[in-house]
Amino acid sequence: MAKQPMLKFVDVARDMPVKRTADERNKDFDEIYAEYADAKAAEQASRCSQCGVPYCQSHCPLHNNIPDWLLMTATGRLEEAYQISQATNTFPEICGRICPQDRLCEGNCVIEQSGHGTVTIGSVEKYITDTAWERGWVKEIVPFAERGESVGIIGAGPAGLAAADVLRRAGVQVAVYDRNDRAGGLLTYGIPGFKLEKDVVMRRVEQLERAGVKFVLNCNIGEDLSFQALRGQHDAVLIATGVYKTRDLKGPGAGATGIVAALDYLTASNKVSFGDEVAEYDNGTLNAAGKKVVVIGGGDTAMDCVRTAIRQGATSVKCLYRRDRHNMPGSQREVANAEEEGVTFVWLTNPKAFSGEPVSGVVVQRMKLGDPDSSGRQSPVPVEGSEYTEDADLVIKALGFEPEDLPAAWSEPELPVSRWGTVQVEFNSGATRLADVYAAGDIVRGASLVVWAIKDGRDSATAILKSFDAAREIAAE
Ligand SMILES: Cc1cc2nc3c(=O)[nH]c(=O)nc-3n(C[C@H](O)[C@H](O)[C@H](O)COP(=O)(O)OP(=O)(O)OC[C@H]3O[C@@H](n4cnc5c(N)ncnc54)[C@H](O)[C@@H]3O)c2cc1C
Ligand code: SF4
């Protein structure tokens, strides 16, 4: 068992040479802290009962071999734990931070099910890979041999990046196109830094860049480069564009100044955290400081908005959701965090109108839960005569996202899409009906999760490699 950190610190201090620089002292402290954290991770990992029915694993979209890497961590074999963990997950340290574990691995841990509190799988996963980076176990991506084929990936979010990783390791020439000025997709500009530090994302982007993946940023496919031209430049194309059409508010006054889209608000906040100058943040349009903030919606985006507003110094933050706590789509853990931080949830409420220009209030209709709909969820029904006004000088719309109309935007009517606008693909391979065009992530599933985007990106990349190999075999015959 590892020593207590303070005892070790005193021992180290006693053995220290007389003169040490601040950096050397910090290094000593880091090593001690790392040992302490190893012990904590091992303590948590040793709670895994190795039950033999790993529901945690079957409820992880990547089917991560959780029991094995917990066993390695519990027995101090951290590098092996990292090797097992990274074999199935391209970005374990990212998933460990932002997967809704209560709905996935941890929610299905048998220790949790038996009422003893889950093994904190996500924290251990994060710790293993953070440690691997610190100790140099994360190796550069070096293809075994270069291949002649090239793939163009549209979208540098988790789906596109995971695919780029698989393809580049296999020696394929990879170019990733993104209309943003930085790679990462929603990892960079959606999810706030207090949940996912931006240097953790950029470290992965830089690793891919060093491996030879070419990032073509500020390039909007359909505007700066046509989809057809892109197809002409590559042997295969992967569409990983995510979903960005914001669902809008209805009702009188919904267009008032001071009513903003969640992603504009979060993007501004994330850009500021990179040190960028953002005029709409500086002039207060996308800044909650000193304001009464009302966020409308009950998903994870709404949770990110309310928690960002608290951090920016809002005077009050309220979240309006039309169903009750039990029926909200966002993670319960996030709700608990938001409540602890001072957010008020006003359940069973729907905005009916907005007063003032700029906005000064939200006219709210109270709701009750009625009969279940076809999905089995109880539908919210207005309570007549229950309207009242919530004061607000910043209203953030967090009602969810839908796919953009890609066939129209790209003048490609043959691109197959569902009635919701998601790209239709073959199960597992991500192949579309268009020759050598694949799709992955939210643009296929609708707004989903990072871990699913990673899985889709890996699966599509594997299918693309298989198709290249098949073409080579045919050419050799
Ligand atoms: C605010 C917010 C918080 C979230 N929090 C979580 C969370 O905590 N945990 C979790 O698991 N999931 C979370 N999600 C969901 C998660 O971020 C997404 O499921 C995931 O990022 C989808 O990955 P993707 O690669 O498919 O798309 P994205 O991450 O959306 O990346 C798509 C990329 O494509 C680019 N693009 C789009 N169109 C074009 C074009 N025409 N030309 C060039 N580039 C283009 C975009 O600029 C973007 O960079 C959150 C989502 C939001 C909005
Ligand atoms: S990837 Fe997500 S669901 Fe899978 S083990 Fe890690 S935290 Fe759990």
Side-chain angles (χ1 to χ4, degrees), residues 18 20 79 89 100 107 127 131 165 195 201 255 277 297 307 311 321 336 382 393 396 420 446 450:
V18 181
R20 294 177 70 81
E79 187 168 358
N89 191 351
Y127 178 68
T131 307
D165 180 284
K195 274 168 63 182
V201 181
E277 280 202 8
R307 297 183 69 198
R311 282 162 177 75
Y321 180 55
D393 31 30
I396 304 176
W420 301 279
V450 168

PDB file of all heavy atoms in Angstrom, residues 18 20 79 89 100 107 127 131 165 195 201 255 277 297 307 311 321 336 382 393 396 420 446 450:
ATOM      1  N   VAL A  18      20.545  20.884  -0.188  1.00  0.00           N
ATOM      2  CA  VAL A  18      20.235  22.165   0.443  1.00  0.00           C
ATOM      3  C   VAL A  18      19.603  23.135  -0.551  1.00  0.00           C
ATOM      4  O   VAL A  18      18.598  23.751  -0.284  1.00  0.00           O
ATOM      5  CB  VAL A  18      21.517  22.775   1.053  1.00  0.00           C
ATOM      6  CG1 VAL A  18      21.201  24.102   1.741  1.00  0.00           C
ATOM      7  CG2 VAL A  18      22.131  21.800   2.030  1.00  0.00           C
ATOM      8  N   ARG A  20      17.620  23.892  -3.941  1.00  0.00           N
ATOM      9  CA  ARG A  20      16.782  23.330  -5.015  1.00  0.00           C
ATOM     10  C   ARG A  20      15.972  24.458  -5.648  1.00  0.00           C
ATOM     11  O   ARG A  20      15.559  25.391  -4.974  1.00  0.00           O
ATOM     12  CB  ARG A  20      15.830  22.265  -4.447  1.00  0.00           C
ATOM     13  CG  ARG A  20      16.558  21.065  -3.927  1.00  0.00           C
ATOM     14  CD  ARG A  20      15.600  20.082  -3.323  1.00  0.00           C
ATOM     15  NE  ARG A  20      14.772  19.430  -4.325  1.00  0.00           N
ATOM     16  CZ  ARG A  20      15.156  18.403  -5.071  1.00  0.00           C
ATOM     17  NH1 ARG A  20      16.380  17.931  -4.936  1.00  0.00           N
ATOM     18  NH2 ARG A  20      14.353  17.852  -5.936  1.00  0.00           N
ATOM     19  N   GLU A  79       0.458   1.156 -16.122  1.00  0.00           N
ATOM     20  CA  GLU A  79       0.761   1.257 -17.557  1.00  0.00           C
ATOM     21  C   GLU A  79      -0.022   0.193 -18.337  1.00  0.00           C
ATOM     22  O   GLU A  79      -0.521   0.456 -19.432  1.00  0.00           O
ATOM     23  CB  GLU A  79       2.272   1.115 -17.814  1.00  0.00           C
ATOM     24  CG  GLU A  79       2.597   1.384 -19.270  1.00  0.00           C
ATOM     25  CD  GLU A  79       4.074   1.561 -19.565  1.00  0.00           C
ATOM     26  OE1 GLU A  79       4.887   1.505 -18.618  1.00  0.00           O
ATOM     27  OE2 GLU A  79       4.408   1.748 -20.754  1.00  0.00           O
ATOM     28  N   ASN A  89     -10.618   2.651 -26.812  1.00  0.00           N
ATOM     29  CA  ASN A  89     -11.107   4.031 -26.753  1.00  0.00           C
ATOM     30  C   ASN A  89     -10.017   4.980 -27.249  1.00  0.00           C
ATOM     31  O   ASN A  89      -8.904   4.992 -26.719  1.00  0.00           O
ATOM     32  CB  ASN A  89     -11.484   4.382 -25.302  1.00  0.00           C
ATOM     33  CG  ASN A  89     -12.239   5.700 -25.201  1.00  0.00           C
ATOM     34  OD1 ASN A  89     -12.341   6.445 -26.174  1.00  0.00           O
ATOM     35  ND2 ASN A  89     -12.755   5.986 -24.021  1.00  0.00           N
ATOM     36  N   PRO A 100     -21.795  10.669 -19.589  1.00  0.00           N
ATOM     37  CA  PRO A 100     -22.795  10.612 -18.510  1.00  0.00           C
ATOM     38  C   PRO A 100     -22.768   9.210 -17.887  1.00  0.00           C
ATOM     39  O   PRO A 100     -23.612   8.363 -18.179  1.00  0.00           O
ATOM     40  CB  PRO A 100     -24.108  10.895 -19.231  1.00  0.00           C
ATOM     41  CG  PRO A 100     -23.864  10.472 -20.640  1.00  0.00           C
ATOM     42  CD  PRO A 100     -22.399  10.594 -20.928  1.00  0.00           C
ATOM     43  N   GLY A 107     -23.844   3.494 -14.021  1.00  0.00           N
ATOM     44  CA  GLY A 107     -25.240   3.230 -13.663  1.00  0.00           C
ATOM     45  C   GLY A 107     -25.548   1.743 -13.674  1.00  0.00           C
ATOM     46  O   GLY A 107     -26.534   1.306 -13.084  1.00  0.00           O
ATOM     47  N   TYR A 127      -8.025   9.201 -14.894  1.00  0.00           N
ATOM     48  CA  TYR A 127      -6.758   9.213 -14.172  1.00  0.00           C
ATOM     49  C   TYR A 127      -5.689   8.376 -14.892  1.00  0.00           C
ATOM     50  O   TYR A 127      -4.533   8.807 -15.041  1.00  0.00           O
ATOM     51  CB  TYR A 127      -6.954   8.718 -12.731  1.00  0.00           C
ATOM     52  CG  TYR A 127      -5.637   8.703 -12.024  1.00  0.00           C
ATOM     53  CD1 TYR A 127      -4.990   9.897 -11.729  1.00  0.00           C
ATOM     54  CD2 TYR A 127      -5.006   7.502 -11.725  1.00  0.00           C
ATOM     55  CE1 TYR A 127      -3.742   9.904 -11.146  1.00  0.00           C
ATOM     56  CE2 TYR A 127      -3.763   7.507 -11.139  1.00  0.00           C
ATOM     57  CZ  TYR A 127      -3.134   8.702 -10.849  1.00  0.00           C
ATOM     58  OH  TYR A 127      -1.900   8.704 -10.283  1.00  0.00           O
ATOM     59  N   THR A 131      -2.363  10.129 -16.426  1.00  0.00           N
ATOM     60  CA  THR A 131      -1.074   9.667 -15.909  1.00  0.00           C
ATOM     61  C   THR A 131      -0.195   9.164 -17.050  1.00  0.00           C
ATOM     62  O   THR A 131       1.019   9.410 -17.080  1.00  0.00           O
ATOM     63  CB  THR A 131      -1.292   8.533 -14.874  1.00  0.00           C
ATOM     64  OG1 THR A 131      -2.210   9.011 -13.908  1.00  0.00           O
ATOM     65  CG2 THR A 131      -0.005   8.124 -14.193  1.00  0.00           C
ATOM     66  N   ASP A 165      -7.555   9.209 -36.409  1.00  0.00           N
ATOM     67  CA  ASP A 165      -6.572   8.451 -35.633  1.00  0.00           C
ATOM     68  C   ASP A 165      -6.415   7.034 -36.197  1.00  0.00           C
ATOM     69  O   ASP A 165      -5.299   6.577 -36.466  1.00  0.00           O
ATOM     70  CB  ASP A 165      -7.049   8.420 -34.166  1.00  0.00           C
ATOM     71  CG  ASP A 165      -6.115   7.661 -33.257  1.00  0.00           C
ATOM     72  OD1 ASP A 165      -6.126   6.408 -33.295  1.00  0.00           O
ATOM     73  OD2 ASP A 165      -5.378   8.315 -32.496  1.00  0.00           O
ATOM     74  N   LYS A 195     -15.794  21.432 -17.432  1.00  0.00           N
ATOM     75  CA  LYS A 195     -16.052  19.984 -17.536  1.00  0.00           C
ATOM     76  C   LYS A 195     -14.951  19.298 -18.336  1.00  0.00           C
ATOM     77  O   LYS A 195     -14.617  18.139 -18.086  1.00  0.00           O
ATOM     78  CB  LYS A 195     -17.386  19.749 -18.255  1.00  0.00           C
ATOM     79  CG  LYS A 195     -18.577  19.795 -17.326  1.00  0.00           C
ATOM     80  CD  LYS A 195     -19.889  19.850 -18.086  1.00  0.00           C
ATOM     81  CE  LYS A 195     -20.158  18.635 -18.938  1.00  0.00           C
ATOM     82  NZ  LYS A 195     -21.444  18.771 -19.686  1.00  0.00           N
ATOM     83  N   VAL A 201      -8.117  18.593 -24.987  1.00  0.00           N
ATOM     84  CA  VAL A 201      -8.582  18.372 -26.363  1.00  0.00           C
ATOM     85  C   VAL A 201      -7.454  18.722 -27.348  1.00  0.00           C
ATOM     86  O   VAL A 201      -7.143  17.951 -28.268  1.00  0.00           O
ATOM     87  CB  VAL A 201      -9.834  19.240 -26.655  1.00  0.00           C
ATOM     88  CG1 VAL A 201     -10.328  18.997 -28.075  1.00  0.00           C
ATOM     89  CG2 VAL A 201     -10.938  18.961 -25.643  1.00  0.00           C
ATOM     90  N   GLY A 255     -38.183  37.202 -30.605  1.00  0.00           N
ATOM     91  CA  GLY A 255     -37.021  37.741 -31.337  1.00  0.00           C
ATOM     92  C   GLY A 255     -36.356  38.904 -30.623  1.00  0.00           C
ATOM     93  O   GLY A 255     -35.476  39.563 -31.197  1.00  0.00           O
ATOM     94  N   GLU A 277     -10.361  37.484 -28.425  1.00  0.00           N
ATOM     95  CA  GLU A 277     -11.215  38.656 -28.197  1.00  0.00           C
ATOM     96  C   GLU A 277     -12.568  38.383 -28.825  1.00  0.00           C
ATOM     97  O   GLU A 277     -12.657  38.088 -30.020  1.00  0.00           O
ATOM     98  CB  GLU A 277     -10.595  39.894 -28.830  1.00  0.00           C
ATOM     99  CG  GLU A 277      -9.511  40.453 -27.956  1.00  0.00           C
ATOM    100  CD  GLU A 277      -9.217  41.910 -28.234  1.00  0.00           C
ATOM    101  OE1 GLU A 277      -9.963  42.547 -29.014  1.00  0.00           O
ATOM    102  OE2 GLU A 277      -8.230  42.379 -27.676  1.00  0.00           O
ATOM    103  N   GLY A 297     -34.840  24.887 -21.333  1.00  0.00           N
ATOM    104  CA  GLY A 297     -34.471  23.558 -21.819  1.00  0.00           C
ATOM    105  C   GLY A 297     -34.039  22.685 -20.646  1.00  0.00           C
ATOM    106  O   GLY A 297     -33.707  23.205 -19.575  1.00  0.00           O
ATOM    107  N   ARG A 307     -24.582  26.501 -15.671  1.00  0.00           N
ATOM    108  CA  ARG A 307     -23.354  26.452 -14.859  1.00  0.00           C
ATOM    109  C   ARG A 307     -22.326  27.473 -15.357  1.00  0.00           C
ATOM    110  O   ARG A 307     -21.548  28.016 -14.564  1.00  0.00           O
ATOM    111  CB  ARG A 307     -22.788  25.025 -14.861  1.00  0.00           C
ATOM    112  CG  ARG A 307     -23.775  24.040 -14.216  1.00  0.00           C
ATOM    113  CD  ARG A 307     -23.223  22.643 -14.129  1.00  0.00           C
ATOM    114  NE  ARG A 307     -22.136  22.547 -13.180  1.00  0.00           N
ATOM    115  CZ  ARG A 307     -21.255  21.536 -13.148  1.00  0.00           C
ATOM    116  NH1 ARG A 307     -21.348  20.566 -14.037  1.00  0.00           N
ATOM    117  NH2 ARG A 307     -20.302  21.507 -12.245  1.00  0.00           N
ATOM    118  N   ARG A 311     -20.769  30.843 -13.269  1.00  0.00           N
ATOM    119  CA  ARG A 311     -19.331  31.153 -13.224  1.00  0.00           C
ATOM    120  C   ARG A 311     -19.025  32.558 -13.755  1.00  0.00           C
ATOM    121  O   ARG A 311     -18.035  33.165 -13.375  1.00  0.00           O
ATOM    122  CB  ARG A 311     -18.539  30.100 -14.010  1.00  0.00           C
ATOM    123  CG  ARG A 311     -18.376  28.827 -13.215  1.00  0.00           C
ATOM    124  CD  ARG A 311     -17.993  27.640 -14.086  1.00  0.00           C
ATOM    125  NE  ARG A 311     -17.783  26.456 -13.250  1.00  0.00           N
ATOM    126  CZ  ARG A 311     -18.768  25.754 -12.691  1.00  0.00           C
ATOM    127  NH1 ARG A 311     -20.023  26.099 -12.871  1.00  0.00           N
ATOM    128  NH2 ARG A 311     -18.498  24.686 -11.933  1.00  0.00           N
ATOM    129  N   TYR A 321     -38.060  24.147 -17.354  1.00  0.00           N
ATOM    130  CA  TYR A 321     -38.210  22.905 -18.115  1.00  0.00           C
ATOM    131  C   TYR A 321     -39.666  22.454 -18.044  1.00  0.00           C
ATOM    132  O   TYR A 321     -40.277  22.490 -16.971  1.00  0.00           O
ATOM    133  CB  TYR A 321     -37.259  21.819 -17.591  1.00  0.00           C
ATOM    134  CG  TYR A 321     -37.397  20.528 -18.371  1.00  0.00           C
ATOM    135  CD1 TYR A 321     -37.250  20.516 -19.751  1.00  0.00           C
ATOM    136  CD2 TYR A 321     -37.723  19.339 -17.725  1.00  0.00           C
ATOM    137  CE1 TYR A 321     -37.417  19.347 -20.477  1.00  0.00           C
ATOM    138  CE2 TYR A 321     -37.881  18.160 -18.448  1.00  0.00           C
ATOM    139  CZ  TYR A 321     -37.733  18.179 -19.823  1.00  0.00           C
ATOM    140  OH  TYR A 321     -37.911  17.027 -20.556  1.00  0.00           O
ATOM    141  N   ALA A 336     -27.779  17.962 -10.120  1.00  0.00           N
ATOM    142  CA  ALA A 336     -27.338  18.081  -8.722  1.00  0.00           C
ATOM    143  C   ALA A 336     -26.187  19.082  -8.620  1.00  0.00           C
ATOM    144  O   ALA A 336     -26.166  19.936  -7.725  1.00  0.00           O
ATOM    145  CB  ALA A 336     -26.927  16.703  -8.199  1.00  0.00           C
ATOM    146  N   PRO A 382     -50.631  22.312 -20.674  1.00  0.00           N
ATOM    147  CA  PRO A 382     -50.711  23.613 -19.989  1.00  0.00           C
ATOM    148  C   PRO A 382     -51.778  23.625 -18.888  1.00  0.00           C
ATOM    149  O   PRO A 382     -52.832  23.006 -19.037  1.00  0.00           O
ATOM    150  CB  PRO A 382     -51.097  24.582 -21.110  1.00  0.00           C
ATOM    151  CG  PRO A 382     -50.892  23.841 -22.386  1.00  0.00           C
ATOM    152  CD  PRO A 382     -50.954  22.388 -22.095  1.00  0.00           C
ATOM    153  N   ASP A 393     -32.897  39.355 -17.867  1.00  0.00           N
ATOM    154  CA  ASP A 393     -32.297  40.239 -18.861  1.00  0.00           C
ATOM    155  C   ASP A 393     -31.330  39.492 -19.783  1.00  0.00           C
ATOM    156  O   ASP A 393     -30.704  40.106 -20.644  1.00  0.00           O
ATOM    157  CB  ASP A 393     -31.676  41.518 -18.272  1.00  0.00           C
ATOM    158  CG  ASP A 393     -31.130  41.357 -16.903  1.00  0.00           C
ATOM    159  OD1 ASP A 393     -30.689  40.235 -16.559  1.00  0.00           O
ATOM    160  OD2 ASP A 393     -31.144  42.332 -16.153  1.00  0.00           O
ATOM    161  N   ILE A 396     -31.510  32.311 -22.517  1.00  0.00           N
ATOM    162  CA  ILE A 396     -30.694  31.422 -23.359  1.00  0.00           C
ATOM    163  C   ILE A 396     -31.564  30.252 -23.825  1.00  0.00           C
ATOM    164  O   ILE A 396     -32.146  29.531 -23.004  1.00  0.00           O
ATOM    165  CB  ILE A 396     -29.452  30.924 -22.585  1.00  0.00           C
ATOM    166  CG1 ILE A 396     -28.643  32.125 -22.077  1.00  0.00           C
ATOM    167  CG2 ILE A 396     -28.599  30.021 -23.473  1.00  0.00           C
ATOM    168  CD1 ILE A 396     -27.450  31.752 -21.213  1.00  0.00           C
ATOM    169  N   TRP A 420     -35.715  13.205 -40.624  1.00  0.00           N
ATOM    170  CA  TRP A 420     -35.213  14.179 -39.634  1.00  0.00           C
ATOM    171  C   TRP A 420     -33.970  14.916 -40.149  1.00  0.00           C
ATOM    172  O   TRP A 420     -33.436  15.781 -39.487  1.00  0.00           O
ATOM    173  CB  TRP A 420     -34.854  13.480 -38.315  1.00  0.00           C
ATOM    174  CG  TRP A 420     -36.028  12.779 -37.715  1.00  0.00           C
ATOM    175  CD1 TRP A 420     -37.018  13.350 -36.977  1.00  0.00           C
ATOM    176  CD2 TRP A 420     -36.342  11.394 -37.809  1.00  0.00           C
ATOM    177  NE1 TRP A 420     -37.939  12.400 -36.609  1.00  0.00           N
ATOM    178  CE2 TRP A 420     -37.550  11.193 -37.101  1.00  0.00           C
ATOM    179  CE3 TRP A 420     -35.743  10.291 -38.425  1.00  0.00           C
ATOM    180  CZ2 TRP A 420     -38.159   9.942 -36.991  1.00  0.00           C
ATOM    181  CZ3 TRP A 420     -36.346   9.046 -38.316  1.00  0.00           C
ATOM    182  CH2 TRP A 420     -37.536   8.882 -37.601  1.00  0.00           C
ATOM    183  N   GLY A 446     -28.334  11.899 -34.817  1.00  0.00           N
ATOM    184  CA  GLY A 446     -28.998  13.029 -34.166  1.00  0.00           C
ATOM    185  C   GLY A 446     -28.180  13.343 -32.920  1.00  0.00           C
ATOM    186  O   GLY A 446     -27.257  12.593 -32.573  1.00  0.00           O
ATOM    187  N   VAL A 450     -20.496  12.025 -26.980  1.00  0.00           N
ATOM    188  CA  VAL A 450     -19.124  11.957 -27.473  1.00  0.00           C
ATOM    189  C   VAL A 450     -18.685  10.496 -27.654  1.00  0.00           C
ATOM    190  O   VAL A 450     -18.093  10.134 -28.671  1.00  0.00           O
ATOM    191  CB  VAL A 450     -18.187  12.696 -26.491  1.00  0.00           C
ATOM    192  CG1 VAL A 450     -16.735  12.415 -26.803  1.00  0.00           C
ATOM    193  CG2 VAL A 450     -18.488  14.197 -26.513  1.00  0.00           C
TER     194      VAL A 450
END
